[in-house]
Amino acid sequence: MYLVLHGPNLNLLGSREPEVYGNLTLDNINQQLENLAEQLGVELIIEQLNSEGEMVERIHQTLEEEIKGILINPAAYTHYSIAIRDALVGVELPIIEVHLSNIHAREEFRQQSVVAPVAEGQISGLGIDSYLLGLQALVNL
Ligand code: DQA
């Protein structure tokens, strides 16, 4: 079982800045992740949360579950949430960080990730493929 965690504002995908994030909705992305998980023979728990505290609590909850790794798009929290970074370190699970857009090619404040140093790896800029490649990599670990 793997946890897929989407951060704030990703519930608006499809209508939110399509020139940056594309036209797929979060449901479209989740459906493709479920399809890939089925091919890989693994199960997913997928959640989208808008607040930092809820994300921290969801990460802690993995301690009570049979979770083997976390695929996370921390969204804006990527750039400044030490609380989410610390929670990820605290649960001692493999982490893959993904982004739809290429955060390194955007505003300066997006070019830093406080999560990346505690993740196994980061995939950024490939749209839905960031998620699909990220899930594949997480399962391979
Ligand atoms: C994002 C990039 C972040 O900078 C932004 O705040 C998001 C989405 C991405 O997937 O490209 O909400 O994580």
PDB file of all heavy atoms in Angstrom, residues 11 22 29 47 49 55-56 65 70 72 74 97 100-101 104 108-109 118 122 124:
ATOM      1  N   ASN A  11      -6.916  20.464  -5.811  1.00  0.00           N
ATOM      2  CA  ASN A  11      -8.323  20.124  -6.092  1.00  0.00           C
ATOM      3  C   ASN A  11      -8.885  20.977  -7.224  1.00  0.00           C
ATOM      4  O   ASN A  11      -9.895  20.618  -7.829  1.00  0.00           O
ATOM      5  CB  ASN A  11      -9.184  20.289  -4.830  1.00  0.00           C
ATOM      6  CG  ASN A  11      -9.040  21.659  -4.189  1.00  0.00           C
ATOM      7  OD1 ASN A  11      -7.928  22.144  -4.005  1.00  0.00           O
ATOM      8  ND2 ASN A  11     -10.136  22.287  -3.866  1.00  0.00           N
ATOM      9  N   GLY A  22      -1.914  22.471 -17.031  1.00  0.00           N
ATOM     10  CA  GLY A  22      -2.593  21.585 -17.980  1.00  0.00           C
ATOM     11  C   GLY A  22      -4.085  21.495 -17.712  1.00  0.00           C
ATOM     12  O   GLY A  22      -4.620  22.158 -16.816  1.00  0.00           O
ATOM     13  N   ILE A  29      -6.035  12.566 -12.995  1.00  0.00           N
ATOM     14  CA  ILE A  29      -4.706  12.139 -12.534  1.00  0.00           C
ATOM     15  C   ILE A  29      -4.830  10.918 -11.625  1.00  0.00           C
ATOM     16  O   ILE A  29      -4.106   9.924 -11.790  1.00  0.00           O
ATOM     17  CB  ILE A  29      -3.993  13.305 -11.809  1.00  0.00           C
ATOM     18  CG1 ILE A  29      -3.635  14.398 -12.824  1.00  0.00           C
ATOM     19  CG2 ILE A  29      -2.740  12.822 -11.062  1.00  0.00           C
ATOM     20  CD1 ILE A  29      -3.074  15.667 -12.225  1.00  0.00           C
ATOM     21  N   GLU A  47      -5.092  11.008  -1.315  1.00  0.00           N
ATOM     22  CA  GLU A  47      -5.776  12.095  -0.599  1.00  0.00           C
ATOM     23  C   GLU A  47      -5.284  13.453  -1.064  1.00  0.00           C
ATOM     24  O   GLU A  47      -4.114  13.605  -1.435  1.00  0.00           O
ATOM     25  CB  GLU A  47      -5.530  11.965   0.909  1.00  0.00           C
ATOM     26  CG  GLU A  47      -6.197  10.738   1.450  1.00  0.00           C
ATOM     27  CD  GLU A  47      -6.521  10.838   2.927  1.00  0.00           C
ATOM     28  OE1 GLU A  47      -6.565  11.962   3.471  1.00  0.00           O
ATOM     29  OE2 GLU A  47      -6.700   9.763   3.513  1.00  0.00           O
ATOM     30  N   LEU A  49      -5.280  17.412   0.426  1.00  0.00           N
ATOM     31  CA  LEU A  49      -5.551  18.205   1.627  1.00  0.00           C
ATOM     32  C   LEU A  49      -5.069  19.634   1.407  1.00  0.00           C
ATOM     33  O   LEU A  49      -4.004  19.857   0.815  1.00  0.00           O
ATOM     34  CB  LEU A  49      -4.844  17.580   2.836  1.00  0.00           C
ATOM     35  CG  LEU A  49      -5.368  16.179   3.215  1.00  0.00           C
ATOM     36  CD1 LEU A  49      -4.421  15.490   4.190  1.00  0.00           C
ATOM     37  CD2 LEU A  49      -6.776  16.264   3.807  1.00  0.00           C
ATOM     38  N   MET A  55      -2.076  17.893   6.471  1.00  0.00           N
ATOM     39  CA  MET A  55      -1.074  17.088   5.759  1.00  0.00           C
ATOM     40  C   MET A  55      -0.118  16.428   6.743  1.00  0.00           C
ATOM     41  O   MET A  55       0.224  15.250   6.614  1.00  0.00           O
ATOM     42  CB  MET A  55      -0.311  17.947   4.743  1.00  0.00           C
ATOM     43  CG  MET A  55      -1.176  18.322   3.546  1.00  0.00           C
ATOM     44  SD  MET A  55      -0.275  19.258   2.308  1.00  0.00           S
ATOM     45  CE  MET A  55       0.762  17.978   1.578  1.00  0.00           C
ATOM     46  N   VAL A  56       0.301  17.186   7.762  1.00  0.00           N
ATOM     47  CA  VAL A  56       1.194  16.627   8.794  1.00  0.00           C
ATOM     48  C   VAL A  56       0.501  15.438   9.468  1.00  0.00           C
ATOM     49  O   VAL A  56       1.090  14.363   9.631  1.00  0.00           O
ATOM     50  CB  VAL A  56       1.570  17.718   9.829  1.00  0.00           C
ATOM     51  CG1 VAL A  56       2.207  17.102  11.068  1.00  0.00           C
ATOM     52  CG2 VAL A  56       2.504  18.742   9.195  1.00  0.00           C
ATOM     53  N   GLU A  65      -0.508   2.415   9.653  1.00  0.00           N
ATOM     54  CA  GLU A  65      -0.959   1.692   8.454  1.00  0.00           C
ATOM     55  C   GLU A  65       0.200   0.899   7.856  1.00  0.00           C
ATOM     56  O   GLU A  65       1.352   1.083   8.243  1.00  0.00           O
ATOM     57  CB  GLU A  65      -1.466   2.701   7.409  1.00  0.00           C
ATOM     58  CG  GLU A  65      -2.636   3.531   7.875  1.00  0.00           C
ATOM     59  CD  GLU A  65      -2.865   4.760   7.003  1.00  0.00           C
ATOM     60  OE1 GLU A  65      -1.893   5.351   6.488  1.00  0.00           O
ATOM     61  OE2 GLU A  65      -4.025   5.142   6.844  1.00  0.00           O
ATOM     62  N   ILE A  70       5.594   7.108   0.221  1.00  0.00           N
ATOM     63  CA  ILE A  70       4.697   8.247  -0.023  1.00  0.00           C
ATOM     64  C   ILE A  70       5.101   8.966  -1.307  1.00  0.00           C
ATOM     65  O   ILE A  70       6.269   9.355  -1.476  1.00  0.00           O
ATOM     66  CB  ILE A  70       4.725   9.244   1.160  1.00  0.00           C
ATOM     67  CG1 ILE A  70       4.375   8.538   2.481  1.00  0.00           C
ATOM     68  CG2 ILE A  70       3.780  10.417   0.898  1.00  0.00           C
ATOM     69  CD1 ILE A  70       4.461   9.452   3.720  1.00  0.00           C
ATOM     70  N   ILE A  72       4.348  12.372  -3.018  1.00  0.00           N
ATOM     71  CA  ILE A  72       3.766  13.624  -2.536  1.00  0.00           C
ATOM     72  C   ILE A  72       4.004  14.784  -3.497  1.00  0.00           C
ATOM     73  O   ILE A  72       5.116  14.960  -4.020  1.00  0.00           O
ATOM     74  CB  ILE A  72       4.314  13.979  -1.119  1.00  0.00           C
ATOM     75  CG1 ILE A  72       3.601  15.205  -0.542  1.00  0.00           C
ATOM     76  CG2 ILE A  72       5.825  14.151  -1.102  1.00  0.00           C
ATOM     77  CD1 ILE A  72       3.859  15.442   0.946  1.00  0.00           C
ATOM     78  N   PRO A  74       3.659  18.394  -2.591  1.00  0.00           N
ATOM     79  CA  PRO A  74       3.329  19.286  -1.472  1.00  0.00           C
ATOM     80  C   PRO A  74       2.818  20.649  -1.927  1.00  0.00           C
ATOM     81  O   PRO A  74       2.504  21.497  -1.085  1.00  0.00           O
ATOM     82  CB  PRO A  74       4.661  19.428  -0.723  1.00  0.00           C
ATOM     83  CG  PRO A  74       5.608  18.430  -1.338  1.00  0.00           C
ATOM     84  CD  PRO A  74       5.110  18.185  -2.726  1.00  0.00           C
ATOM     85  N   GLU A  97       8.993  13.119  -4.379  1.00  0.00           N
ATOM     86  CA  GLU A  97       8.327  14.423  -4.530  1.00  0.00           C
ATOM     87  C   GLU A  97       8.056  14.665  -6.012  1.00  0.00           C
ATOM     88  O   GLU A  97       8.950  14.462  -6.838  1.00  0.00           O
ATOM     89  CB  GLU A  97       9.265  15.509  -3.982  1.00  0.00           C
ATOM     90  CG  GLU A  97       8.753  16.928  -4.188  1.00  0.00           C
ATOM     91  CD  GLU A  97       9.812  17.971  -3.821  1.00  0.00           C
ATOM     92  OE1 GLU A  97      10.705  17.694  -2.991  1.00  0.00           O
ATOM     93  OE2 GLU A  97       9.743  19.070  -4.390  1.00  0.00           O
ATOM     94  N   LEU A 100       3.821  18.995 -11.204  1.00  0.00           N
ATOM     95  CA  LEU A 100       3.342  19.053 -12.583  1.00  0.00           C
ATOM     96  C   LEU A 100       4.211  20.008 -13.404  1.00  0.00           C
ATOM     97  O   LEU A 100       4.648  19.696 -14.505  1.00  0.00           O
ATOM     98  CB  LEU A 100       1.887  19.537 -12.602  1.00  0.00           C
ATOM     99  CG  LEU A 100       0.870  18.574 -11.986  1.00  0.00           C
ATOM    100  CD1 LEU A 100      -0.394  19.322 -11.577  1.00  0.00           C
ATOM    101  CD2 LEU A 100       0.538  17.456 -12.966  1.00  0.00           C
ATOM    102  N   SER A 101       4.437  21.197 -12.843  1.00  0.00           N
ATOM    103  CA  SER A 101       5.226  22.214 -13.546  1.00  0.00           C
ATOM    104  C   SER A 101       6.698  22.053 -13.167  1.00  0.00           C
ATOM    105  O   SER A 101       7.031  21.387 -12.176  1.00  0.00           O
ATOM    106  CB  SER A 101       4.730  23.614 -13.154  1.00  0.00           C
ATOM    107  OG  SER A 101       4.966  23.859 -11.771  1.00  0.00           O
ATOM    108  N   HIS A 104      11.831  24.571 -11.190  1.00  0.00           N
ATOM    109  CA  HIS A 104      13.154  25.190 -11.356  1.00  0.00           C
ATOM    110  C   HIS A 104      13.170  26.225 -12.475  1.00  0.00           C
ATOM    111  O   HIS A 104      14.130  26.973 -12.618  1.00  0.00           O
ATOM    112  CB  HIS A 104      14.209  24.111 -11.593  1.00  0.00           C
ATOM    113  CG  HIS A 104      14.213  23.113 -10.480  1.00  0.00           C
ATOM    114  ND1 HIS A 104      14.723  23.389  -9.235  1.00  0.00           N
ATOM    115  CD2 HIS A 104      13.683  21.855 -10.395  1.00  0.00           C
ATOM    116  CE1 HIS A 104      14.540  22.336  -8.441  1.00  0.00           C
ATOM    117  NE2 HIS A 104      13.915  21.397  -9.122  1.00  0.00           N
ATOM    118  N   GLU A 108      11.544  32.633  -8.627  1.00  0.00           N
ATOM    119  CA  GLU A 108      12.652  32.247  -7.750  1.00  0.00           C
ATOM    120  C   GLU A 108      12.158  31.560  -6.473  1.00  0.00           C
ATOM    121  O   GLU A 108      12.770  30.595  -6.006  1.00  0.00           O
ATOM    122  CB  GLU A 108      13.474  33.489  -7.406  1.00  0.00           C
ATOM    123  CG  GLU A 108      14.921  33.143  -7.135  1.00  0.00           C
ATOM    124  CD  GLU A 108      15.766  34.373  -6.837  1.00  0.00           C
ATOM    125  OE1 GLU A 108      15.455  35.462  -7.373  1.00  0.00           O
ATOM    126  OE2 GLU A 108      16.710  34.226  -6.043  1.00  0.00           O
ATOM    127  N   PHE A 109      11.028  32.028  -5.924  1.00  0.00           N
ATOM    128  CA  PHE A 109      10.560  31.438  -4.652  1.00  0.00           C
ATOM    129  C   PHE A 109      10.120  29.995  -4.810  1.00  0.00           C
ATOM    130  O   PHE A 109       9.994  29.267  -3.829  1.00  0.00           O
ATOM    131  CB  PHE A 109       9.447  32.292  -4.014  1.00  0.00           C
ATOM    132  CG  PHE A 109       8.154  32.355  -4.797  1.00  0.00           C
ATOM    133  CD1 PHE A 109       7.176  31.372  -4.645  1.00  0.00           C
ATOM    134  CD2 PHE A 109       7.894  33.405  -5.664  1.00  0.00           C
ATOM    135  CE1 PHE A 109       5.978  31.421  -5.349  1.00  0.00           C
ATOM    136  CE2 PHE A 109       6.703  33.471  -6.387  1.00  0.00           C
ATOM    137  CZ  PHE A 109       5.749  32.479  -6.229  1.00  0.00           C
ATOM    138  N   VAL A 118      14.965  15.547   1.753  1.00  0.00           N
ATOM    139  CA  VAL A 118      14.597  14.370   2.548  1.00  0.00           C
ATOM    140  C   VAL A 118      13.838  13.337   1.707  1.00  0.00           C
ATOM    141  O   VAL A 118      13.348  12.336   2.234  1.00  0.00           O
ATOM    142  CB  VAL A 118      13.796  14.744   3.825  1.00  0.00           C
ATOM    143  CG1 VAL A 118      14.602  15.727   4.668  1.00  0.00           C
ATOM    144  CG2 VAL A 118      12.411  15.299   3.506  1.00  0.00           C
ATOM    145  N   GLN A 122      13.148  13.737  -6.791  1.00  0.00           N
ATOM    146  CA  GLN A 122      12.118  14.705  -7.170  1.00  0.00           C
ATOM    147  C   GLN A 122      11.926  14.638  -8.681  1.00  0.00           C
ATOM    148  O   GLN A 122      12.911  14.561  -9.422  1.00  0.00           O
ATOM    149  CB  GLN A 122      12.599  16.114  -6.798  1.00  0.00           C
ATOM    150  CG  GLN A 122      11.623  17.226  -7.132  1.00  0.00           C
ATOM    151  CD  GLN A 122      12.321  18.582  -7.179  1.00  0.00           C
ATOM    152  OE1 GLN A 122      13.147  18.838  -8.055  1.00  0.00           O
ATOM    153  NE2 GLN A 122      11.987  19.446  -6.241  1.00  0.00           N
ATOM    154  N   SER A 124       9.913  16.778 -11.661  1.00  0.00           N
ATOM    155  CA  SER A 124       9.262  18.074 -11.796  1.00  0.00           C
ATOM    156  C   SER A 124       9.166  18.464 -13.262  1.00  0.00           C
ATOM    157  O   SER A 124      10.140  18.315 -14.007  1.00  0.00           O
ATOM    158  CB  SER A 124      10.118  19.099 -11.032  1.00  0.00           C
ATOM    159  OG  SER A 124       9.629  20.391 -11.168  1.00  0.00           O
TER     160      SER A 124
END
